[in-house]
Amino acid sequence: MKHVPERTHHAMLDAYTTLRLGGPAGELIEAASAEEIVAALRKVDAAGPAHDDAVTSAFVLAGGSNVVVADSGFPGTVVLVRNRGYSVRREGERAVVRVEAGQPWDDLVAATVAEGLTGLECLSGIPGSAGATPIQNVGAYGQEVAETITAVRVYDRRTGDTVVMSPDECRFGYRASVFKHNDRFVVLSVDFSLAVSTRSMPIRYAELARRLGVAPGDRVESGRVREAVLALRAGKGMVLDAADPDTYSVGSFFTNPVVTADGFAALRDRTGGVEPPAFPAGDGHVKVSAAWLIEHAGFARGYGDPAAGVGISTKHTLALTNRGTGTTSALLALAREIRAGVRDRFGVDLHPEPVLINCSLS
Ligand SMILES: Cc1cc2nc3c(=O)[nH]c(=O)nc-3n(C[C@H](O)[C@H](O)[C@H](O)COP(=O)(O)OP(=O)(O)OC[C@H]3O[C@@H](n4cnc5c(N)ncnc54)[C@H](O)[C@@H]3O)c2cc1C
């Protein structure tokens, strides 16, 4: 019997976001297969095709871990990406893992590590779906998905075709790709090329290497890397935990700002002789730690107005959290305050990492 997607009217989106914030959706469609995702969008788009920078009448939502949805919700159609499953094709020393977009990401990472496949182990514990990982080129602890993605199958809402995009066409960058802030393409499945090995990729991230007791560049058993990453993340409130409001967030609210060499020199002039943590970002640019800027602009962990129900996580300055009784407007007010404080103190602009739905920071 043909599966019929479930449709709900005026469902509250707070139940579908890790911030636990967001008002009602005009219509919510739970799509359990790629065909259902495409059919749902075709129907809505028939009323008027989507294009790059337009607010369209439909958007796709998966794990809800990187969106801030307005208190007023979204008046159009929300298509919930719920197609699941993956296959593994071994080819000598590599394996191609093809995963459906709605597959929970960390389940996939756990399975690849357990199957002796290497390349995703540092991305353990990141919430959300596999299909959303190309959107902002998900990364953590020295790894990002751009290193292992070989193909992304998408539905193009502009042409109505389903096409396979190469990594070049995805235009991956730091927390960026052709897909981010662009509702033209809907990811249906992703191919990853992983090494057949129980040993991890070389450990690049100093904090992770310290935790594992190895030198940067060493390889260790992938299962150990996964455990170490999960423990580090848990200590920062970066693994979802229903009992802990420090995890009612989108992870990092701001990206690490990338500044020119001149911009970095100007920043150093304003730090009173303290060296801000920074990393080379190519082309003479420098990536500066947003957490450091926020802390040194006077916003400590736990900062916030308890009456507003939102605040900085007590474990990590980059996570803005709903303490349980917050609203999206209160969260955005806190984000604006932090952004203005960092700009005043250091002259650096912070940019939000999550996608803002029907609301803005300006
Ligand atoms: C506690 C916590 C820790 C986090 N840690 C990290 C981290 O270490 N590194 C990191 O990079 N991110 C991190 N994140 C952010 C987030 O988990 C990732 O960006 C994740 O990939 C989002 O997946 P999602 O399924 O929840 O996407 P959603 O929040 O549902 O969607 C995010 C955006 O992607 C779009 N989208 C979703 N699925 C599709 C699809 N199939 N096709 C097209 N567009 C789609 C949505 O329309 C929306 O614009 C963290 C979040 C939390 C809450």
Side-chain angles (χ1 to χ4, degrees), residues 10-17 19-26 55 59 61 64 66-76 78 250 253 322 326-333 336 354-361:
H10 313 301
M12 291 297 286
L13 292 174
D14 58 358
Y16 297 91
T17 66
L19 271 168
R20 300 168 182 233
L21 297 175
V55 174
F59 84 94
L61 184 66
N66 212 24
V67 288
V68 180
V69 181
D71 294 315
S72 60
F74 180 75
V78 175
V250 287
F253 194 91
N322 169 15
T327 59
T328 297
S329 60
L331 187 90
L332 293 177
R336 280 184 210 109
V355 175
L356 275 53
I357 309 282
N358 212 12
C359 55
S360 90
L361 257 194

Side-chain angles (χ1 to χ4, degrees), residues 18 59-67 81 101 126-129 131-133 135-140 175 185-187 233 237-240 247 249-252 353 355 357:
T18 53
F59 84 94
V60 294
L61 184 66
S65 62
N66 212 24
V67 288
V81 178
I126 298 178
S129 63
T133 59
I135 309 299
Q136 70 159 7
N137 181 19
V138 155
R175 292 300 91 79
F185 301 106
V186 176
V187 176
R233 295 186 69 94
M238 289 292 178
V239 181
L240 294 185
T247 72
S249 76
V250 287
S252 302
E353 185 183 297
V355 175
I357 309 282

